[in-house]
Amino acid sequence: KDSIKGLIDGQQDRDSKIENLTSLFVDKEIDDYRWEIINFATKVSEGRPCNKDSFKHCLRTYEKYEALLEKYGLENGEVEISMEVVNDAYKEKLKNGF
């Protein structure tokens, strides 16, 4: 009985550690995406040069960011305004030609 209990306890401990590592990884991934998006929006709002590929990269990053938030039941509280800046600038550049 003690050896079975030990195995179960060991498995629960490993499961808990895996959950913690997963949570840390997801938090870091979300923070990295958020930071990248906000930095790009700042660059755009300051009028620094940005090419079409950098806009597309930011849009793809935002899709990944949103997918992670949805998968883990989290909310986007910080990036929406940054994405408005990016989307407005992207639309303007498309109208005027890159």
Side-chain angles (χ1 to χ4, degrees), residues 16-26:
S16 175
K17 287 177 180 175
I18 289 171
E19 268 184 48
N20 288 337
L21 287 172
T22 300
S23 178
L24 288 172
F25 176 77
V26 169

Short mmCIF file of all heavy atoms in Angstrom, two decimals, residues 16-26:
data_model
loop_
_atom_site.label_atom_id
_atom_site.label_comp_id
_atom_site.label_asym_id
_atom_site.label_seq_id
_atom_site.Cartn_x
_atom_site.Cartn_y
_atom_site.Cartn_z
N SER A 16 1.85 18.43 -10.88
CA SER A 16 1.82 19.80 -10.35
C SER A 16 2.98 20.63 -10.91
O SER A 16 2.80 21.79 -11.29
CB SER A 16 1.88 19.76 -8.83
OG SER A 16 1.96 21.06 -8.30
N LYS A 17 4.16 20.03 -10.98
CA LYS A 17 5.33 20.73 -11.52
C LYS A 17 5.14 21.03 -13.01
O LYS A 17 5.51 22.11 -13.47
CB LYS A 17 6.59 19.91 -11.29
CG LYS A 17 7.02 19.93 -9.83
CD LYS A 17 8.24 19.06 -9.59
CE LYS A 17 8.61 19.11 -8.11
NZ LYS A 17 9.70 18.21 -7.77
N ILE A 18 4.57 20.09 -13.74
CA ILE A 18 4.31 20.32 -15.17
C ILE A 18 3.30 21.45 -15.35
O ILE A 18 3.47 22.32 -16.20
CB ILE A 18 3.83 19.02 -15.86
CG1 ILE A 18 5.00 18.04 -15.96
CG2 ILE A 18 3.24 19.31 -17.23
CD1 ILE A 18 4.62 16.65 -16.42
N GLU A 19 2.27 21.46 -14.52
CA GLU A 19 1.28 22.55 -14.57
C GLU A 19 1.94 23.89 -14.30
O GLU A 19 1.66 24.88 -14.98
CB GLU A 19 0.17 22.32 -13.53
CG GLU A 19 -1.02 21.58 -14.05
CD GLU A 19 -2.11 21.48 -12.99
OE1 GLU A 19 -2.44 22.51 -12.36
OE2 GLU A 19 -2.61 20.36 -12.81
N ASN A 20 2.80 23.95 -13.30
CA ASN A 20 3.50 25.19 -12.97
C ASN A 20 4.39 25.65 -14.11
O ASN A 20 4.41 26.85 -14.46
CB ASN A 20 4.32 25.04 -11.69
CG ASN A 20 3.45 24.98 -10.45
OD1 ASN A 20 2.32 25.45 -10.43
ND2 ASN A 20 3.98 24.38 -9.40
N LEU A 21 5.14 24.73 -14.70
CA LEU A 21 6.00 25.08 -15.83
C LEU A 21 5.19 25.56 -17.02
O LEU A 21 5.57 26.52 -17.69
CB LEU A 21 6.87 23.88 -16.22
CG LEU A 21 8.01 23.54 -15.28
CD1 LEU A 21 8.67 22.24 -15.69
CD2 LEU A 21 9.03 24.67 -15.24
N THR A 22 4.09 24.89 -17.29
CA THR A 22 3.22 25.29 -18.39
C THR A 22 2.69 26.70 -18.15
O THR A 22 2.70 27.55 -19.05
CB THR A 22 2.05 24.30 -18.55
OG1 THR A 22 2.58 23.00 -18.82
CG2 THR A 22 1.12 24.71 -19.67
N SER A 23 2.27 26.97 -16.94
CA SER A 23 1.76 28.29 -16.60
C SER A 23 2.83 29.36 -16.78
O SER A 23 2.56 30.44 -17.33
CB SER A 23 1.24 28.29 -15.16
OG SER A 23 0.78 29.55 -14.80
N LEU A 24 4.04 29.08 -16.33
CA LEU A 24 5.15 30.02 -16.50
C LEU A 24 5.43 30.27 -17.97
O LEU A 24 5.65 31.42 -18.39
CB LEU A 24 6.42 29.49 -15.81
CG LEU A 24 6.44 29.52 -14.30
CD1 LEU A 24 7.67 28.77 -13.78
CD2 LEU A 24 6.44 30.95 -13.78
N PHE A 25 5.44 29.21 -18.76
CA PHE A 25 5.71 29.34 -20.20
C PHE A 25 4.62 30.17 -20.88
O PHE A 25 4.92 31.06 -21.67
CB PHE A 25 5.81 27.96 -20.85
CG PHE A 25 5.99 28.03 -22.33
CD1 PHE A 25 7.22 28.35 -22.87
CD2 PHE A 25 4.92 27.79 -23.18
CE1 PHE A 25 7.39 28.44 -24.25
CE2 PHE A 25 5.08 27.88 -24.56
CZ PHE A 25 6.32 28.20 -25.09
N VAL A 26 3.37 29.89 -20.57
CA VAL A 26 2.25 30.62 -21.18
C VAL A 26 2.31 32.09 -20.78
O VAL A 26 2.15 32.98 -21.63
CB VAL A 26 0.90 29.98 -20.78
CG1 VAL A 26 -0.27 30.88 -21.17
CG2 VAL A 26 0.75 28.61 -21.43
#
